[in-house]
């Protein structure tokens, strides 16, 4: 419909120049569904066209200017009214005037800085999007298009292993070891659990991957723990001197890189949680933080090959320690 002589409405579409060749990536939306978006990396140019199509070619469209923006923003769900922008670029496409026919405007944002990875969590969302705006007297015409950004990292192929002795005085003394402290998202966690003293009847042992999302600052800090995976290590009672191997493939789980103090708004950290359950259903646990990172698709090795390499690299010897503190599994010797 035409309101107060301001002309017929217009359809706005944002088209990327490399849409046919650019890779798409799945990304979770707020409602938990997965959708595919165009994938970008830090420093890449974002270019394309803003296409305007008049629904009624015989009607003119008056406007106060046309622009396109590239925006990176963080939205905290408990503070939805405020959007915290960390990237904001603007290109003016047309001065105030009127449109009498359908037309397209080219745009280019050169070597755009995209410092953080796209993320949708329990209490926070970090998104990048293009927004085209036709300014009008009463109501603007706005069209947005989301993109996904992945951050790539490079860590040394050999990084330090995690070794730790934990236990309950005079009841349980175990040593666990993981082959690395930093894992890429398609990596394999290789490790072993060694039982030095067993005087309680353990019936089950597992490793959980826990994602901890922290949002806010000061008194308004919120923590959300999400168990991403449960990996059963043992079903049955172990004996002294027994060694249990661990091999956990990360590729099958929904993981993101570790994010620390992103724009001073939120963090995402990952922990390996070793859980032991005895016959009386009491739970003993010990958490150890690990760093996850995204590796580029330059070299693709099979997962079995990765596991073989990790196994060869992980040939450590156990180191004994003395258990000091009863209760929750406590450290007796920790090095990383």
């Amino acid at each position: 419909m035409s309101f107060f002589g301001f002309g017929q409405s217009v359809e706005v579409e944002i088209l990327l120049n490399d849409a046919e060749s650019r890779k798409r990536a799945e990304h979770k939306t707020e409602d938990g569904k997965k959708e595919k978006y165009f994938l970008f990396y830090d420093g890449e140019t974002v270019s394309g066209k803003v296409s305007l199509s008049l629904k009624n070619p015989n009607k003119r469209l008056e406007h106060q200017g046309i622009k396109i923006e590239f925006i990176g923003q963080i939205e905290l769900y408990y503070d939805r009214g405020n959007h915290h922008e960390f990237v904001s670029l603007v290109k003016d496409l047309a001065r105030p005037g009127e449109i009498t026919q359908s037309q397209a405007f080219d745009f280019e944002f050169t070597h755009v800085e995209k410092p953080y990875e796209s993320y949708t969590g329990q209490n926070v969302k970090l998104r990048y999007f293009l927004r085209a705006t036709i300014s009008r007297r009463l109501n603007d015409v706005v069209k947005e298009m989301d993109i996904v950004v992945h951050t790539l990292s490079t860590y040394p192929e050999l990084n330090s292993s995690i070794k730790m002795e934990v236990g309950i005085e005079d009841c349980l003394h175990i040593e666990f070891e993981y082959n690395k402290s930093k894992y890429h998202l398609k990596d394999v966690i290789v490790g072993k659990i060694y039982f030095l003293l067993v005087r309680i009847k353990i019936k089950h042992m597992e490793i959980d991957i826990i994602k901890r999302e922290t949002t806010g600052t000061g008194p308004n800090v919120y923590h959300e723990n999400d168990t991403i995976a449960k990996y059963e290590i043992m079903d049955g009672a172990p004996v002294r001197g027994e060694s249990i191997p661990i091999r956990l493939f990360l590729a099958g789980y929904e993981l993101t890189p570790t994010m620390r103090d992103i724009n001073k708004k939120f963090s995402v950290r990952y922990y390996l949680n070793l859980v032991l359950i005895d016959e009386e259903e009491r739970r003993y646990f010990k958490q150890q933080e690990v760093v996850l990172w995204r590796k580029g698709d330059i070299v693709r090795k099979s997962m079995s090959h990765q596991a073989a390499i990790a196994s060869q690299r992980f040939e450590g010897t156990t180191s004994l320690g003395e258990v000091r503190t009863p209760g929750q599994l406590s450290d007796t010797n920790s090095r990383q």
Side-chain angles (χ1 to χ4, degrees), residues 89-141:
L89 305 174
V90 184
K91 297 279 187 184
D92 288 321
L93 302 178
R95 294 180 179 180
E98 57 183 44
I99 297 173
T100 57
Q101 61 183 3
S102 299
Q103 60 187 111
F105 300 90
D106 293 327
F107 69 87
E108 181 176 83
F109 296 101
T110 307
H111 306 309
V112 182
E113 181 183 3
K114 312 174 198 72
Y116 311 124
E117 174 135 345
S118 299
Y119 177 74
T120 302
Q122 299 282 344
N123 290 316
V124 63
K125 177 170 67 176
L126 188 153
R127 64 186 283 241
Y128 295 86
F129 60 98
L130 290 161
R131 180 167 63 201
T133 304
I134 303 175
S135 299
R136 302 184 67 193
R137 293 180 185 175
L138 288 183
N139 57 326
D140 294 345
V141 179

Side-chain angles (χ1 to χ4, degrees), residues 214-240:
T214 303
T215 54
T217 55
N220 298 318
V221 174
Y222 298 87
H223 300 283
E224 286 286 347
N225 288 344
D226 187 13
T227 302
I228 304 296
K230 287 181 178 288
Y231 175 74
E232 184 178 291
I233 300 173
M234 181 195 69
D235 188 13
V239 297
R240 180 178 178 181

Side-chain angles (χ1 to χ4, degrees), residues 178 189 207-209 270-274 286-288 290:
Y178 304 120
I189 296 175
I207 283 185
D208 302 337
I209 300 176
Y270 288 90
Y271 297 84
L272 296 178
N273 190 31
L274 179 65
K286 183 65 183 178
Q287 285 189 357
Q288 175 65 45
V290 292

Side-chain angles (χ1 to χ4, degrees), residues 164-230:
M164 190 175 296
E165 295 177 19
V166 298
I168 301 171
E169 189 174 8
D170 297 329
C171 295
L172 178 68
H173 185 182
I174 65 176
E175 180 181 83
F176 66 83
E177 185 171 1
Y178 304 120
N179 63 318
K180 292 186 289 188
S181 56
K182 301 179 178 71
Y183 297 90
H184 62 78
L185 299 184
K186 307 295 183 184
D187 216 335
V188 185
I189 296 175
V190 177
K192 61 184 176 183
I193 310 291
Y194 190 68
F195 290 88
L196 303 174
L197 175 67
V198 183
R199 288 180 179 169
I200 57 177
K201 294 182 179 180
I202 298 173
K203 71 171 186 177
H204 180 77
M205 182 164 62
E206 68 185 26
I207 283 185
D208 302 337
I209 300 176
I210 295 175
K211 180 176 80 170
R212 179 171 298 157
E213 177 186 290
T214 303
T215 54
T217 55
N220 298 318
V221 174
Y222 298 87
H223 300 283
E224 286 286 347
N225 288 344
D226 187 13
T227 302
I228 304 296
K230 287 181 178 288

